[in-house]
Amino acid sequence: MFGVLVAVASLAACSTIKSYPPAPAQAAEQDYTYIIGAGDSVNIIVWRNPELSMSVPVRPDGKVSAPLVDEVVAQGKTSVQLARDLEQVLGKYVRDPIVTVLVNGFVGPYSEQIRVVGEAAKPQFLPFKSKMTVLDVMIAVGGLTDFASGNRASILRTSEGNKQYSVRLDDLIKDGDVSANVEMRPGDILIIPQSYF
């Protein structure tokens, strides 16, 4: 009797598995430009003014502070946009400042981070990188747990209104099927469910 109940429960669980279309191999993200986020570190270089040049963190509120600069919003901007903003502020104190901003520690804005949840060895968030694939993500999180159902994994694509795609992680990682490798997009969430057995 117990065996019948287990079989019925297993069939019921299998019938509730959602089916998503396969993720496209190419993410179609053209000309990606990195956007500064809270937690990044930026190196501010003011030409001919070494006393104003320094490396500063982007605070949790998304702003940076430097000599002669109380605070400027950095989050959500490119390094060039931040450099132009700093030139405007420094222009009050320095004649014709030329500023260059280099990003050192890459975290990126929350909206562009890749999140991995479920049965990954180390579920976490990762900064998005151009041409990043699901294989790159799985290497970064240490692979799957013993309880993962990798071929039932899915990508929730926030940039497409939370559209969900299926991915075949078991085929990719355990069988080496590179056709299962797909590109990620900024803000993707990789969901790895637990196996029923």
Side-chain angles (χ1 to χ4, degrees):
M1 181 66 179
F2 179 72
V4 173
L5 289 175
V6 169
V8 169
S10 296
L11 287 174
C14 290
S15 66
T16 61
I17 295 175
K18 292 185 178 179
S19 177
Y20 303 109
Q26 301 291 317
E29 183 68 29
Q30 301 296 328
D31 299 326
Y32 174 73
T33 302
Y34 184 78
I35 302 296
I36 297 170
D40 284 348
S41 178
V42 294
N43 193 11
I44 301 169
I45 303 161
V46 185
W47 189 53
R48 293 187 182 168
N49 291 277
E51 68 281 0
L52 299 176
S53 301
M54 62 176 34
S55 184
V56 297
V58 180
R59 300 186 319 229
D61 64 359
K63 298 176 182 176
V64 294
S65 298
L68 302 180
V69 178
D70 287 336
E71 57 183 20
V72 171
V73 175
Q75 183 168 319
K77 296 179 181 176
T78 66
S79 59
V80 173
Q81 291 169 330
L82 178 57
R84 298 302 81 85
D85 289 351
L86 290 168
E87 285 173 352
Q88 281 189 326
V89 173
L90 290 172
K92 299 172 189 171
Y93 312 103
V94 178
R95 193 167 130 197
D96 300 325
I98 298 174
V99 178
T100 303
V101 173
L102 304 172
V103 182
N104 295 337
F106 297 94
V107 175
Y110 292 119
S111 63
E112 293 195 356
Q113 292 172 357
I114 304 294
R115 289 173 175 75
V116 183
V117 297
E119 295 299 316
K122 296 179 281 184
Q124 60 184 294
F125 73 89
L126 303 166
F128 175 79
K129 296 176 181 133
S130 182
K131 301 294 181 188
M132 180 182 238
T133 66
V134 73
L135 179 59
D136 300 323
V137 171
M138 291 312 301
I139 290 169
V141 300
L144 300 169
T145 67
D146 292 338
F147 306 106
S149 181
N151 281 347
R152 287 184 30 241
S154 63
I155 293 173
L156 181 70
R157 189 145 286 162
T158 59
S159 62
E160 294 179 6
N162 292 336
K163 188 169 182 182
Q164 210 153 353
Y165 296 102
S166 67
V167 287
R168 298 177 293 125
L169 297 180
D170 283 337
D171 293 351
L172 176 64
I173 296 170
K174 295 178 180 175
D175 299 335
D177 183 357
V178 293
S179 69
N181 196 17
V182 298
E183 286 185 8
M184 304 295 285
R185 289 191 69 177
D188 278 358
I189 300 170
L190 179 60
I191 302 165
I192 306 169
Q194 188 174 30
S195 175
Y196 292 121
F197 300 80

